Amino acid sequence: IGDPFLMRHDGRFYLYCSSHSHLPGIKCWVSDDMIRFDYQGFVCTDERTIGAYAPEVAFNAGKFWMVTSPRGSGHYLLKSDSPLGPFEVVSDNLGNGIDGSIFVDDDGRSWFYRSSHQGIRVHEMPSPEEIDVRNKTIPASFLNYWTEGPQVIKRDDRYFLTDTGNHVCSRGYHIDYCVSHEGPDRG
């Protein structure tokens, strides 16, 4: 199983992962202790999720928001009332690379991150169900070629962006991070 993503919500852990390239759907496992995970089944079976790459989920405005990149061909935004779904697609295909990630700041504003050849790209989200097409690169994230797998974590008023770079099968593939004191769209 590729691209595992773990979300903690109300003391439980929810694990989502990429799906097969020829089947629709996104699966979920749940754990109370991060040792034993129980399979919960499909949280989405929409045909647009065939070959869903790297699904990630964030909680904001009382809903669960998922982003995934089916077959590596752009991104869809989905929402649900529960981390176990069902998740419904709420956007057209946004295009724009793979490995989407949503970060929700303390003030409730959301940001969408994705891969690119220039470093991680960040898009503002005017509302939890809208991703602005305008975006910018976070220069400190550039890993000399392909940069992917973004995730932002905030701690002590600093924003930590982690990512990976170059082709996953190359000898130069590695994990990196950058820190911002100014905001989630800076590096």
Side-chain angles (χ1 to χ4, degrees):
I1 296 175
D3 303 311
F5 174 77
L6 190 65
M7 178 188 71
R8 183 177 182 196
H9 183 76
D10 286 342
R12 299 187 89 193
F13 300 92
Y14 298 85
L15 176 66
Y16 308 89
C17 63
S18 291
S19 61
H20 294 287
S21 62
H22 61 284
L23 299 174
I26 298 166
K27 298 176 181 178
C28 180
W29 289 259
V30 177
S31 176
D32 292 319
D33 59 11
M34 285 191 56
I35 296 170
R36 179 182 170 183
F37 282 84
D38 296 316
Y39 178 61
Q40 301 297 306
F42 287 95
V43 296
C44 178
T45 56
D46 190 292
E47 289 292 318
R48 290 170 284 188
T49 63
I50 291 175
Y53 282 14
E56 290 198 12
V57 178
F59 183 73
N60 192 14
K63 301 283 185 193
F64 294 88
W65 303 93
M66 177 185 285
V67 64
T68 188
S69 177
R71 294 185 182 146
S73 298
H75 288 92
Y76 284 100
L77 185 62
L78 302 86
K79 79 174 177 179
S80 176
D81 292 324
S82 165
L84 296 175
F87 282 88
E88 65 178 79
V89 175
V90 295
S91 74
D92 291 330
N93 188 323
L94 304 167
N96 302 322
I98 62 169
D99 291 355
S101 183
I102 297 172
F103 169 73
V104 180
D105 209 343
D106 299 333
D107 61 4
R109 288 179 63 197
S110 297
W111 302 86
F112 172 68
Y113 302 83
R114 64 175 174 87
S115 62
S116 85
H117 288 285
Q118 295 85 31
I120 298 302
R121 310 286 295 180
V122 59
H123 300 248
E124 207 169 334
M125 294 179 70
S127 74
E129 52 187 284
E130 181 183 3
I131 298 173
D132 193 330
V133 294
R134 293 172 294 179
N135 64 87
K136 65 181 182 179
T137 301
I138 298 178
S141 69
F142 182 59
L143 296 177
N144 299 321
Y145 185 60
W146 181 249
T147 309
E148 64 184 11
Q151 184 175 33
V152 172
I153 299 166
K154 184 176 182 181
R155 184 175 174 124
D156 298 328
D157 293 322
R158 293 180 294 173
Y159 299 87
F160 297 84
L161 168 65
T162 63
D163 51 61
T164 60
N166 302 311
H167 191 274
V168 70
C169 295
S170 76
R171 297 186 82 189
Y173 190 75
H174 60 282
I175 299 168
D176 200 22
Y177 76 96
C178 55
V179 181
S180 172
H181 298 274
E182 299 172 21
D185 60 340
R186 308 246 178 4

